[in-house]
Amino acid sequence: MEQGKSDFLVVLTGAGVSAESKVPTFRSNGGLWQNHRFEDLATPSAFARDPKLVWDFYRWRQDGVKNAKPNRAHEILVEIEAAHKDNFLLVTQNVDNLHEQAGSKNLLHLHGEIMKGRCLSCGATWGPIDYHNIDVPCPNCQTSKAWRPHIVWFGETPFFMEEIQAALKRATLFMAIGTSGVVYPAAQFVHVAKGFGAKTILVNLDAADNIGVFDQVHRGNASECLEKIWSDAKGNLFQN
Ligand code: OAD
């Protein structure tokens, strides 16, 4: 660890954290990108070409999220945040709201939020909004039928990059949970944190693409692995 750094934990979560809540992942068995082409559904040009197809896809995904409940992994992350207070940042690639439902507070949605919309005219974001009702005007500029899911699509810049980079530099501990380490820039966060002296831990069912960078690897379900890590830490993850 760099001299003079005070303890700070950055947790990065991915679709694997919500898998036990029955929200589909992207690249594991039965994942979304195994049955759908992201080029048809998750790019600005797909939305321009065939908005109905894109809305149908995100409406179906939003319906799944509306019915989902947080699992034990989400709950443990709330307990970890409560124990480490201001020395904690949760960055999620997930667009569902299960971290919020569980009670996470210091949370950044890198890839957007499926319960929100974004106006194509003025850029305002708002939510919760039902994707079944896409004719509503923007509550800020009143332009009608000119909004999109508040999701970062392929080729677009993720949100909160400055805050996240600053947190990665501060981090003394970095944990990635339930993410395949395929999508950048998130897959690069471990390199940045490690480069600035953080200890790095991976919790994932399968071997992530960037597994070799992590100091410690826990293979298995997020809820079970986190339960063990958290119980071994006895309330302080910075101890070891
Ligand atoms: P992926 O679907 O790529 O990877 C999910 C990872 O979670 C896999 O490596 C699984 O092994 C693991 N996994 C599955 N079930 C698990 C469980 N119960 N416990 C622990 N791990 C489990 O999902 P992400 O890495 O999140 O982007 O994908 C990154 C981005 O790619 C997403 O945010 C999305 C997608 O395209 C956008 O939509 C912009």
Side-chain angles (χ1 to χ4, degrees), residues 116-137:
K116 290 187 178 171
R118 182 161 82 248
C119 181
L120 293 165
S121 180
C122 72
T125 60
W126 72 95
I129 179 140
D130 190 338
Y131 288 177
H132 286 273
N133 189 12
I134 59 173
D135 287 345
V136 293

Side-chain angles (χ1 to χ4, degrees), residues 14-16 19-20 25-28 33 93-94 111 152 154 178-181 183 204-206 220-222:
E20 291 169 74
T25 66
F26 296 91
R27 295 173 187 82
S28 358
W33 298 151
Q93 297 167 89
N94 298 342
H111 289 165
V152 174
F154 285 89
T179 177
S180 56
V183 172
N204 209 47
L205 195 56
D206 305 301
N221 284 335

Side-chain angles (χ1 to χ4, degrees), residues 55-209:
W55 275 120
D56 284 350
F57 176 64
Y58 282 97
R59 194 175 290 127
W60 168 74
R61 284 185 57 196
Q62 192 192 55
D63 285 347
V65 168
K66 279 182 201 158
N67 296 321
K69 292 279 164 275
N71 64 59
R72 184 69 189 130
H74 296 101
E75 289 169 10
I76 294 170
L77 288 170
V78 176
E79 293 170 20
I80 291 175
E81 177 172 6
H84 300 304
K85 301 196 173 63
D86 295 338
N87 304 318
F88 175 92
L89 176 67
L90 177 55
V91 178
T92 187
Q93 297 167 89
N94 298 342
V95 298
D96 64 51
N97 60 2
L98 297 182
H99 285 305
E100 290 91 332
Q101 278 194 52
S104 287
K105 299 275 182 279
N106 204 2
L107 165 68
L108 297 177
H109 278 276
L110 177 68
H111 289 165
E113 296 173 67
I114 203 164
M115 300 312 293
K116 290 187 178 171
R118 182 161 82 248
C119 181
L120 293 165
S121 180
C122 72
T125 60
W126 72 95
I129 179 140
D130 190 338
Y131 288 177
H132 286 273
N133 189 12
I134 59 173
D135 287 345
V136 293
C138 165
N140 184 50
C141 71
Q142 313 305 323
T143 308
S144 63
K145 300 186 187 180
W147 61 280
R148 56 172 273 184
H150 184 44
I151 302 280
V152 174
W153 284 327
F154 285 89
E156 297 183 317
T157 308
F159 302 126
F160 306 112
M161 283 307 296
E162 274 184 31
E163 290 99 314
I164 294 168
Q165 289 291 343
L168 292 170
K169 286 183 183 176
R170 274 183 73 189
T172 54
L173 183 59
F174 173 86
M175 287 177 82
I177 308 170
T179 177
S180 56
V182 170
V183 172
Y184 286 76
Q188 185 72 23
F189 291 171
V190 60
H191 297 262
V192 179
K194 195 173 172 126
F196 283 92
K199 177 179 169 185
T200 56
I201 300 176
L202 173 69
V203 174
N204 209 47
L205 195 56
D206 305 301
D209 266 29

